[in-house]
Amino acid sequence: MMEWTDRHYRTFIRLLTRHTLLYTEMITANALVHGDADTLMAFSPIEKPIAIQLGGDNPQDLCQAAHMAQEEGYDEVNLNVGCPSPKVQNGRFGACLMLEPDLVAEIVSQLKARVQIPVTVKHRIGVNDRGDYQDLSAFVSTVAQAGCDRFIIHARIALLKTLSPKENRSVPPLRYDDVYRLKTEYPDLLIDINGGIQNMDEVRYHLEYVDGVMLGRAAYAHPYRLAHADAMIFRDPRPIPSRRQVVESMLPYLQAHTGHPLAVLRHMLGFFRGMPGGRRWRQYITEGIQNKDPFLVLKESLSVLDQDLLDEPCGEYE
Ligand SMILES: Cc1cc2nc3c(=O)[nH]c(=O)nc-3n(C[C@H](O)[C@H](O)[C@H](O)COP(=O)(O)O)c2cc1C
């Protein structure tokens, strides 16, 4: 997610879950090919498994960007066919590519020929007046023939002319049944579902019908919910980390970080959302770093919280 799932967020999340697949923010192929690729693509091995999400409509640029990502060590290349922002529409990519299934198929086919890592597509169930199940099915069928390894489907249409990007994430109704039906009709394809999914109980429910589940906003607003993923979804028997362990594990990372401390800390500010003292903790950090060493601020911040809750591996607040 743009501005959200940067490398600091991903490092933080990896302290909560080892097995989930993490995605970068969308990076345009153009920016990678013609810009500062080293900075744009940088990630640390701790973030793996990690998929890079590319935006663009030019097969040559996308192939070059995908190849660079593979060399960098990314585990998957994902093509964005779901973003509704006007800027992206002007570039003729993102969600409006759903209106051009043949072009998406051509891109996927060329990507498959260029890289060995999986090539996946994230898209909507439809756009504008092409919002029927039959349109979705035709799109997926065309792109599948090009060799797409997995489809990640946001179960809402996007109305590109009438709704803002934010409205396009909440106004069109969720149609999970269309995604389930797709899996029934194309059992050999890998189909992941996305949109409005809140926690691991809901993830488990969707997994009865599809192959995978992507969490967006809930993973950002309630990061600790991901702490349950390894045990509940991936059957990892290791104990769930406590919130105290997670915060303490971020201390060396924060200490090594040379930029503005909020670049790291902003992703953690909601970590105690809904818990007693959660707001005080947030305030302690944002005010403390104005005039104190951020490492000490984070270290001492835990004292403003209920000590028992800090060590509880799970709990009523999720
Ligand atoms: C701030 C923000 C940035 C986003 N950026 C991207 C993006 O770069 N690529 C993408 O595929 N989806 C992006 N999305 C959409 C989410 O990935 C997801 O499809 C959408 O929010 C619905 O899922 P959710 O209800 O779990 O959040 C973004 C969403 C938000 C809120």
Side-chain angles (χ1 to χ4, degrees):
M1 290 180 285
M2 305 287 292
E3 318 247 311
W4 287 11
T5 59
D6 63 18
R7 50 185 309 191
H8 305 307
Y9 169 78
R10 297 188 308 253
T11 301
F12 170 50
I13 288 302
R14 269 292 170 252
L15 301 171
L16 296 154
T17 161
R18 296 175 171 98
H19 299 292
T20 47
L21 175 65
L22 301 182
Y23 289 75
T24 65
E25 306 163 88
M26 180 180 74
I27 308 172
T28 66
N30 189 46
L32 275 184
V33 172
H34 304 290
D36 182 2
D38 286 345
T39 305
L40 289 169
M41 278 199 301
F43 74 93
S44 119
I46 190 194
E47 297 167 43
K48 281 166 90 63
I50 181 169
I52 188 167
Q53 188 185 61
L54 298 179
D57 70 332
N58 178 307
Q60 283 83 38
D61 281 357
L62 283 162
C63 280
Q64 194 176 332
H67 189 257
M68 290 157 70
Q70 177 175 271
E71 296 296 296
E72 192 69 18
Y74 280 94
D75 299 295
E76 173 179 320
V77 173
N78 176 261
L79 180 68
N80 184 317
V81 186
C83 179
S85 92
K87 203 171 151 201
V88 161
Q89 283 181 57
N90 285 339
R92 249 185 81 231
F93 59 97
C96 60
L97 280 180
M98 279 202 82
L99 301 169
E100 299 186 67
D102 291 334
L103 174 58
V104 177
E106 178 58 28
I107 292 169
V108 168
S109 162
Q110 292 198 27
L111 286 172
K112 287 291 293 174
R114 189 68 196 274
V115 294
Q116 286 76 53
I117 52 178
V119 174
T120 64
V121 174
K122 174 155 182 274
H123 59 98
R124 299 281 184 137
I125 53 171
V127 279
N128 299 348
D129 56 354
R130 287 213 220 159
D132 292 343
Y133 175 79
Q134 297 314 332
D135 298 315
L136 170 65
S137 173
F139 174 82
V140 167
S141 164
T142 303
V143 179
Q145 281 165 36
C148 179
D149 290 295
R150 205 168 80 252
F151 295 85
I152 302 103
I153 308 175
H154 182 175
R156 280 193 177 90
I157 62 164
L159 295 172
L160 300 176
K161 298 278 172 269
T162 46
L163 297 181
S164 70
K166 193 168 178 202
E167 289 167 332
N168 265 315
R169 290 194 289 265
S170 55
V171 175
L174 287 161
R175 290 177 10 211
Y176 296 139
D177 285 345
D178 283 20
V179 184
Y180 300 161
R181 181 173 167 192
L182 206 56
K183 179 63 194 174
T184 313
E185 291 181 9
Y186 299 90
D188 295 338
L189 299 183
L190 289 178
I191 307 280
D192 292 1
I193 198 164
N194 164 247
I197 299 159
Q198 297 300 324
N199 55 44
M200 292 306 138
D201 283 333
E202 293 185 14
V203 168
R204 277 222 282 232
Y205 174 84
H206 287 287
L207 286 175
E208 303 275 324
Y209 301 96
V210 289
D211 301 295
V213 181
M214 173 189 267
L215 264 64
R217 288 163 290 188
Y220 195 83
H222 305 281
Y224 197 69
R225 290 181 188 174
L226 293 180
H228 302 272
D230 289 0
M232 283 178 68
I233 312 299
F234 298 96
R235 306 275 167 227
D236 187 328
R238 283 175 284 191
I240 294 170
S242 69
R243 287 184 173 84
R244 184 197 300 280
Q245 285 168 333
V246 173
V247 171
E248 288 178 348
S249 302
M250 278 304 278
L251 286 168
Y253 184 78
L254 182 66
Q255 198 166 32
H257 172 68
T258 48
H260 195 287
L262 263 189
V264 174
L265 291 170
R266 72 188 180 102
H267 301 299
M268 301 174 64
L269 293 176
F271 198 38
F272 297 97
R273 182 176 280 120
M275 291 178 70
R279 201 173 287 173
R280 201 164 57 237
W281 183 75
R282 184 190 168 104
Q283 206 178 358
Y284 187 92
I285 290 181
T286 49
E287 288 175 6
I289 58 168
Q290 313 277 348
N291 47 28
K292 242 176 117 175
D293 176 2
F295 173 86
L296 285 180
V297 174
L298 185 61
K299 192 165 178 229
E300 289 163 8
S301 66
L302 294 176
S303 64
V304 308
L305 291 154
D306 181 325
Q307 298 301 298
D308 292 340
L309 286 175
L310 267 177
D311 294 316
E312 226 173 74
C314 43
E316 61 192 298
Y317 298 100
E318 295 307 323

